[in-house]
Amino acid sequence: MISFIVRRMLLAIPTLIFISFISFVIIQLPPGDYVTAYAAQLRNAGDYITKAQEELMRQQLGLNDPMLVQYWRWISNIVFRGDFGFSLEWNKPVADLIWNRLGLTLAISSLSLVFTWIIAIPVGVYSATRQYSVFDYIFTVFGFLGKGIPDFLLALVLMWIGFAYLHMDVGGLISPQYESAPWTIDKVLNLLSHLWVPVVVLATGGAAGLIRVMRANMLDELGKPYVETAYAQGLSERQVVWNYPVRVALNPFISTVGWSLPALFSGDVITAVVLNLPTTGPLLLQALKMQDMYLAGSFILILSVFTVIGTLISDILLAWFDPRIRFA
């Protein structure tokens, strides 16, 4: 196991270098650059800058340099100084922009993931062990509805319910009167009163899909000989189900840690835009739209690091939970 982890960590270095370079190139593939997008934004607002001013901006921002020079300047500052560069649009350090939004993003994503697993695992187990029961049909309908309803539509419905019936401030995570206020008990309670909407939206779609996965995996395992042997030894249904087939059926949950970890960082972009959440997702979307290469590239690089780490954690946990899995 130790040799496997060391080998994977060594392979992660060239992988991340390759991903960072490809990402940096792809961001700059669309016609124009940040100055082009900025000039277009000014024109839409009724303001203009001359071609000479555009060229001067490109020179000041180093956008006229060859792509390899721009990439090396960016990646070398990250590796040797921990400096992710300056956002061209925000004119602020990229690290400040990301870390300022990271706390709320992790809070929403982590709560959503926890609630997803709390709902999906026991419900999936119950549906499998009580196949074709009334509750199994109810959970099946919930699964199809949860997967069929887009997250942004569910967010709009919950916002309407909160505004029309619960008389709540909808959109955002904090009421306007608390935005610039220091953190107090009242501000935390206000945050919690807004937090339930994105958590419910994100957890519903995730839980609906994982319920079906858990149910299908459990049905595959319940008919196998080792389960019948456990029953024959006199173990109770609860001991048999939770100690044997559930442990194997959890493999898909564990294997998705590699996806869940970067999702904790990025959050759900569409839901965040609809709910006007101050998370990292909308910031990444805006960076891509404006071709803010240092901000967008840093996002993608961090997401890549989280994906590599998450995949390694998934492999280790799979070997721990399922003794059938061994590394060569």
Side-chain angles (χ1 to χ4, degrees), residues 156-179:
L156 290 173
V157 171
L158 290 178
M159 289 174 69
W160 171 70
I161 293 174
F163 178 77
Y165 295 100
L166 303 179
H167 307 292
M168 294 173 50
D169 295 323
V170 292
L173 286 177
I174 298 175
S175 299
Q177 64 268 28
Y178 289 103
E179 286 183 356

Side-chain angles (χ1 to χ4, degrees), residues 2-307:
I2 294 176
S3 63
F4 169 79
I5 294 173
V6 172
R7 188 166 64 249
R8 286 289 297 271
M9 291 179 68
L10 292 176
L11 287 173
I13 296 173
T15 302
L16 292 174
I17 293 174
F18 178 75
I19 292 174
S20 66
F21 178 72
I22 294 299
S23 304
F24 196 83
V25 171
I26 290 175
I27 292 168
Q28 301 195 57
L29 282 182
D33 52 22
Y34 166 73
V35 175
T36 307
Y38 176 71
Q41 194 177 58
L42 287 179
R43 283 195 297 272
N44 291 335
D47 201 357
Y48 298 90
I49 59 174
T50 65
K51 294 293 182 182
Q53 289 174 316
E54 289 184 27
E55 196 58 36
L56 180 61
M57 285 185 64
R58 288 190 180 91
Q59 208 167 23
Q60 291 174 339
L61 297 173
L63 300 180
N64 288 330
D65 295 337
M67 191 179 298
L68 284 175
V69 174
Q70 296 182 47
Y71 170 76
W72 174 250
R73 183 166 57 229
W74 170 65
I75 200 68
S76 61
N77 284 334
I78 293 176
V79 174
F80 298 116
R81 300 190 184 94
D83 180 9
F84 288 88
F86 258 69
S87 166
L88 303 178
E89 182 182 7
W90 295 83
N91 196 27
K92 291 181 179 179
V94 167
D96 291 349
L97 290 170
I98 294 176
W99 306 138
N100 286 343
R101 295 181 177 228
L102 186 58
L104 290 175
T105 305
L106 290 176
I108 295 172
S109 301
S110 301
L111 283 174
S112 302
L113 182 63
V114 169
F115 276 107
T116 296
W117 284 34
I118 288 175
I119 295 171
I121 293 174
V123 170
V125 172
Y126 180 89
S127 292
T129 54
R130 302 293 185 272
Q131 190 180 16
Y132 304 131
S133 66
V134 174
F135 282 105
D136 181 29
Y137 285 118
I138 292 174
F139 293 140
T140 299
V141 172
F142 167 77
F144 286 128
L145 289 176
K147 291 301 292 180
I149 299 176
D151 287 348
F152 71 87
L153 180 59
L154 181 60
L156 290 173
V157 171
L158 290 178
M159 289 174 69
W160 171 70
I161 293 174
F163 178 77
Y165 295 100
L166 303 179
H167 307 292
M168 294 173 50
D169 295 323
V170 292
L173 286 177
I174 298 175
S175 299
Q177 64 268 28
Y178 289 103
E179 286 183 356
S180 57
W183 284 98
T184 60
I185 297 297
D186 290 338
K187 187 172 181 177
V188 172
L189 293 176
N190 184 263
L191 171 65
L192 294 176
S193 69
H194 289 76
L195 200 59
W196 69 274
V197 176
V199 169
V200 169
V201 171
L202 296 176
T204 299
L210 288 177
I211 286 173
R212 305 302 302 162
V213 172
M214 190 68 186
R215 180 181 183 274
N217 288 345
M218 283 293 296
L219 289 175
D220 286 341
E221 296 298 323
L222 286 173
K224 291 185 176 179
Y226 74 88
V227 177
E228 297 177 3
T229 303
Y231 277 119
Q233 291 176 342
L235 298 177
S236 66
E237 182 184 14
R238 182 172 181 175
Q239 290 176 313
V240 172
V241 170
W242 288 97
N243 288 343
Y244 298 101
V246 168
R247 187 173 178 178
V248 178
L250 282 175
N251 283 359
F253 288 74
I254 299 169
S255 64
T256 56
V257 171
W259 307 337
S260 301
L261 205 58
L264 292 180
F265 176 80
S266 62
D268 189 282
V269 178
I270 297 177
T271 302
V273 171
V274 171
L275 294 175
N276 191 29
L277 303 179
T279 55
T280 55
L283 191 64
L284 172 59
L285 179 62
Q286 181 64 18
L288 293 171
K289 287 167 58 179
M290 292 297 295
Q291 291 182 262
D292 192 347
M293 55 190 181
Y294 297 127
L295 180 56
S298 297
F299 262 113
I300 295 173
L301 179 61
I302 295 173
L303 287 174
S304 302
V305 172
F306 274 58
T307 303

